[in-house]
Amino acid sequence: MTPLVSIAGLSVAFSGVPVLRGVDLAIGKGEALGLVGESGSGKSVTWLAALGLLPRHAKVSGSVRLDGREILGAPAAELDQVRGGRVAMIFQDPASALNPVLTIRRQLCEALSLHRDLQGNAVKAEARRLLDLVGIPDAGRRLEAYPHEFSGGQVQRIMIAMALAGNPDLLIADEPTTALDATIQAQILELLSTVRRELGMAMVLISHDLGVVAENCDRVAVMYAGRIVEQAPSNQLFADPVHPYAQGLIGALPPLDGPRRRLTAIPGTVPDPAKMPDGCAFAPRCTLASEPCSRAAPTLAPIADGRAVACIRAEASRRALLGIAAE
Amino acid sequence: MSPPLVEVSEISRSYSMRSGMFGRSTAVRAVDGVSLTIPKGETLGLVGESGSGKSTTGRIVLGLEPPDSGEVRFDGKPMAAPGTAAWRAQRARMQMIFQDPLGALDRRLPVAAQIREPLDIHGLGTPDAREERVRELLRAVELTPAHGARYPGALSGGQRQRIVLARALATKPDFLVCDEPVSALDVSIQAQVVNLLCDLQAQLSLTLLFISHDLRVVRQISNVVAVMYLGRIVEIGSADDLFARPEHPYTQALVSASPAPGRRSAGRIVLAGDPPNPAARPQGCAFHPRCPRAIARCAREVPALAAVGGNRQVACHLVTGAETRDAA
Ligand SMILES: Nc1ncnc2c1ncn2[C@@H]1O[C@H](COP(=O)(O)OP(=O)(O)OP(=O)(O)O)[C@@H](O)[C@H]1O
Ligand SMILES: Nc1ncnc2c1ncn2[C@@H]1O[C@H](COP(=O)(O)OP(=O)(O)OP(=O)(O)O)[C@@H](O)[C@H]1O
Ligand code: SF4
Ligand code: SF4
Ligand SMILES: [Mg+2]
Ligand SMILES: [Mg+2]
């Protein structure tokens, strides 16, 4: 089956500084893929690049196919149809994605008339239905309100309504529930999964909340410094992370019960994209790093069915497992 | 216990909401009789429903917005009237970190200049000392001078939030209101920032009001946690105890809905019903339309926040001190 979207060798550089360094990723129809990873690792940029939303000075290369058709570098008119239509994106900074001087009704109706064949009262009724759908109470009246009159969490729900306006095949949700309390978050994620089931919509869920990703995604990709370092089915990743960065990430989660302890933060910071170390980008922070790690960047290699890891140690253990002698 | 730095008594705040077509306007009670005390050097965590009035409470406590009724006292004194010299002196001792880091930063200025801004405004130190302080603050939040030279748009969400934190700490405030300060950060950096906040708090004896949806992070950093629902505090108690044994049905749902890797949704309390409409507050207990344990009385009488033993207070007709505690 051709994947809905397949990204290959996607690279992005800003003013000559590479921030995405060869991302390969495929999403099947109706699939839910989680994208987690270090702040600044390129999770947002991956999708901004794929949808042609980066500023001009960004140098983008590689390939992004939607149903087998190349969309990277496609003409603006074609991309306008893709964005908000077949592929919708909920942005990370909701306040900056809504226009503060227009009512919610204006903004929703604009999105609807752009991507749906609706006229007049039907547009308004649909706008109202969408607000209802995402659980904004008193939707009819609230349509006339401006973004600043909503709480942070309500703004986020409005963003989801806007994204659903075009009946997308793929929803890129960049931190869609960060500003919501757990009970509403649970309802929103439930809502997204219902919509997904009904419309067969695929979803990429970008989130810092490993719990949210674990519960809502079939598969998870972990990013570090512009690359994918581990890919696995959700349950396996969280039960048994292989890449040292993924292990650190899961270990840094504060517990909700038991004694409080100082959090085990991963030491150090992400390398400056302008001064990327040779070899494995995680080596300066990795407790397992050894001399060969700094020679060549490990590639993402399969270690089991549906699992792939970019770490020399994982390769070594896989070789041991398969009884292949190390060269 | 140390003397309170912040005392909030019975504050309320309503917004009027236009109703477009018919021009009627409805009052939304964003905050409805909230009282809180934060001892010096301690952290109060504020969690609760989206739209329950947490940010509004934070803004009122900081004096950014006046309450319609009720009072906020800072270091034993009532908040001065906005715009006066006394108000400015009080305000210099308090800072806020907002929910939306991009909105909080000026897109047209390099971030180092924005960290420096409060130092310039309050005239702190010589120009050289200010430059040094900016470098020190960048180091404190684990960024480099190279990051400082960038514009907000050229930083990741997490990097931007650390800039906001550095700027908030520039004037060495006594009191910090953090509104979703780490929700944009990934877990490894979140752990660093939480550790960083804990360390800075210990070093500088900072007092914090910490607003977040992330119960894990709130528990990690707070001494006491208050849970809000539709403008009111429905439960308050010490952090560890509250999350281990939530008493209010809303808190119980909140704790049970908090996702955890490796735990699928089994045994979760899923709330039925719509999220509440602040403009049409339900009669009686505001939670009753969604409450799995509601009884007839809940639709009529508003439960008062009452001590139920330990240092716990709960606003629920079914949780009444001694018996529930003993039974637990
Ligand atoms: N317009 C831009 N110009 C220059 N650099 C940029 C620009 N946008 C992003 N970057 C850089 O690209 C890298 C990847 O950023 P991106 O926003 O994708 O991170 P992210 O993984 O989404 O992080 P977060 O979890 O913090 O949102 C970062 O180092 C960031 O500073
Ligand atoms: N300026 C305003 N005008 C009208 N209504 C407002 C205004 N600010 C807030 N509100 C309303 O007041 C209520 C409380 O909002 P507030 O932002 O304090 O909630 P919150 O608890 O911080 O929510 P969240 O967790 O979603 O950030 C909401 O119903 C919101 O719609
Ligand atoms: S390749 Fe080496 S440095 Fe990189 S994650 Fe694996 S062990 Fe650590
Ligand atoms: S007072 Fe009644 S409705 Fe309210 S939380 Fe308690 S049991 Fe539920
Ligand atoms: Mg991002
Ligand atoms: Mg808020």
Side-chain angles (χ1 to χ4, degrees):
Chain A
M1 194 176 78
T2 29
L4 178 65
V5 172
S6 68
I7 296 179
L10 186 65
S11 299
V12 172
F14 291 105
S15 331
V17 177
V19 300
L20 272 200
R21 303 177 304 138
V23 167
D24 301 315
L25 205 56
I27 295 125
K29 294 190 176 68
E31 191 191 14
L33 172 81
L35 199 52
V36 300
E38 200 69 15
S39 169
S41 61
K43 302 180 297 294
S44 300
V45 163
T46 298
W47 294 99
L48 293 172
L51 296 176
L53 289 170
L54 286 175
R56 264 164 202 281
H57 71 272
K59 195 169 163 297
V60 181
S61 60
S63 153
V64 178
R65 288 171 181 277
L66 176 63
D67 274 336
R69 195 182 152 91
E70 183 66 49
I71 58 165
L72 202 64
E78 190 179 332
L79 279 173
D80 279 340
Q81 277 310 308
V82 170
R83 290 188 295 248
R86 300 210 51 198
V87 183
M89 186 158 178
I90 301 171
F91 292 94
Q92 194 169 4
D93 295 295
S96 56
L98 287 176
N99 187 334
V101 302
L102 296 182
T103 62
I104 297 306
R105 183 182 53 77
R106 276 283 297 275
Q107 304 190 51
L108 264 173
C109 290
E110 220 158 82
L112 282 167
S113 45
L114 208 63
H115 296 287
R116 296 268 286 278
D117 203 11
L118 294 173
Q119 256 95 48
N121 279 340
V123 180
K124 210 172 156 194
E126 177 66 5
R128 190 189 162 147
R129 191 189 69 84
L130 285 169
L131 271 203
D132 259 336
L133 186 72
V134 296
I136 299 283
D138 201 7
R141 184 182 305 183
R142 293 301 259 167
L143 272 175
E144 304 304 328
Y146 292 87
H148 76 272
E149 295 175 283
F150 292 88
S151 77
Q154 289 166 335
V155 167
Q156 213 119 357
R157 279 183 264 161
I158 292 167
M159 294 297 304
I160 293 173
M162 300 261 290
L164 296 178
N167 268 342
D169 294 323
L170 172 65
L171 176 68
I172 315 289
D174 198 348
E175 303 281 0
T177 57
T178 3
L180 307 176
D181 75 285
T183 68
I184 297 291
Q185 171 172 292
Q187 283 183 343
I188 289 277
L189 291 167
E190 185 63 41
L191 166 82
L192 284 177
S193 75
T194 312
V195 174
R196 245 162 40 69
R197 266 195 313 274
E198 278 172 14
L199 307 178
M201 181 179 79
M203 176 171 75
V204 173
L205 184 62
I206 304 177
S207 176
H208 289 288
D209 192 326
L210 300 178
V212 164
V213 167
E215 289 189 3
N216 293 283
C217 297
D218 313 314
R219 210 152 52 86
V220 184
V222 183
M223 286 190 77
Y224 190 81
R227 284 209 175 100
I228 290 173
V229 296
E230 181 156 3
Q231 247 192 74
S234 302
N235 50 357
Q236 293 181 28
L237 180 77
F238 293 107
D240 171 32
V242 172
H243 194 281
Y245 171 68
Q247 290 172 350
L249 206 57
I250 287 158
L253 208 61
L256 194 52
D257 43 29
R260 261 191 255 187
R261 50 167 177 85
R262 194 177 168 79
L263 301 179
T264 40
I266 301 174
T269 38
V270 219
D272 184 342
K275 298 190 204 83
M276 208 45 87
D278 295 335
C280 175
F282 189 59
R285 302 172 75 187
C286 182
T287 46
L288 299 176
S290 55
E291 198 271 326
C293 300
S294 56
R295 262 188 259 137
T299 52
L300 192 64
I303 56 158
D305 257 3
R307 294 199 69 168
V309 178
C311 168
I312 285 173
R313 290 194 167 252
E315 276 174 45
S317 53
R318 181 183 59 106
R319 286 218 177 89
L321 219 63
L322 298 176
I324 304 169
E327 293 103 296
Chain B
M1 202 171 11
S2 29
L5 183 69
V6 177
E7 292 160 280
V8 174
S9 30
E10 290 291 319
I11 55 166
S12 296
R13 176 87 171 109
S14 296
Y15 296 105
S16 69
M17 197 171 77
R18 269 166 312 89
S19 57
M21 298 232 300
F22 309 107
R24 265 183 297 126
S25 95
T26 331
V28 178
R29 299 214 107 192
V31 175
D32 192 9
V34 164
S35 299
L36 294 168
T37 300
I38 318 177
K40 275 197 177 107
E42 291 204 358
T43 300
L44 180 100
L46 200 53
V47 302
E49 189 78 22
S50 163
S52 61
K54 303 181 296 297
S55 298
T56 305
T57 301
R59 287 195 303 270
I60 293 174
V61 170
L62 278 177
L64 295 177
E65 237 178 80
D68 299 334
S69 62
E71 189 193 39
V72 178
R73 297 175 77 85
F74 183 74
D75 212 1
K77 289 189 272 302
M79 283 296 287
T84 61
W87 180 77
R88 269 192 298 278
Q90 269 177 336
R91 284 284 300 131
R93 299 177 56 195
M94 324 172 170
Q95 288 294 337
M96 178 151 190
I97 299 175
F98 288 97
Q99 202 161 348
D100 170 19
L102 193 57
L105 294 170
D106 185 335
R107 290 153 192 269
R108 298 156 305 179
L109 271 185
V111 292
Q114 305 195 48
I115 296 176
R116 196 191 142 111
E117 212 165 39
L119 299 173
D120 294 337
I121 291 174
H122 295 283
L124 299 176
T126 62
D128 279 352
R130 287 178 206 165
E131 282 307 310
E132 178 48 36
R133 176 93 181 121
V134 169
R135 275 194 295 276
E136 187 183 303
L137 287 160
L138 279 169
R139 254 198 316 278
V141 295
E142 283 149 352
L143 292 174
T144 63
H147 289 111
R150 294 203 208 161
Y151 291 86
L155 292 172
S156 77
Q159 292 164 339
R160 288 199 286 263
Q161 194 56 299
R162 277 179 277 161
I163 296 292
V164 172
L165 179 59
R167 183 177 62 181
L169 293 173
T171 57
K172 305 190 174 161
D174 298 315
F175 178 53
L176 210 56
V177 174
C178 305
D179 196 346
E180 299 284 359
V182 294
S183 59
L185 309 185
D186 71 277
V187 181
S188 99
I189 298 292
Q190 200 173 71
Q192 288 181 5
V193 173
V194 169
N195 285 344
L196 183 76
L197 265 172
C198 291
D199 293 347
L200 290 170
Q201 177 173 35
Q203 283 162 25
L204 314 170
S205 35
L206 274 174
T207 306
L208 299 184
L209 174 62
F210 193 92
I211 303 171
S212 174
H213 286 298
D214 190 329
L215 302 191
R216 296 163 181 281
V217 170
V218 167
R219 185 182 96 116
Q220 185 72 21
I221 202 161
S222 305
N223 304 88
V224 169
V225 172
V227 184
M228 285 186 78
Y229 193 84
L230 268 191
R232 296 207 180 144
I233 293 180
V234 295
E235 182 159 10
I236 185 165
S238 80
D240 292 320
D241 187 44
L242 186 114
F243 290 129
R245 286 184 304 124
E247 300 267 12
H248 192 281
Y250 173 69
T251 318
Q252 289 173 344
L254 194 64
V255 170
S256 114
S258 185
R263 191 192 75 184
R264 280 268 168 176
S265 353
R268 163 167 304 171
I269 305 170
V270 178
L271 293 177
D274 291 333
N277 175 4
R281 191 174 213 288
Q283 294 283 304
C285 174
F287 186 53
H288 87 261
R290 298 171 78 201
C291 181
R293 293 168 60 193
I295 51 172
R297 185 181 169 201
C298 303
R300 295 190 309 264
E301 274 172 61
V302 182
L305 190 65
V308 297
N311 55 4
R312 187 81 65 92
Q313 294 176 55
V314 180
C316 171
H317 295 310
L318 297 187
V319 186
T320 50
E323 337 99 71
T324 7
R325 279 267 142 174
D326 291 344

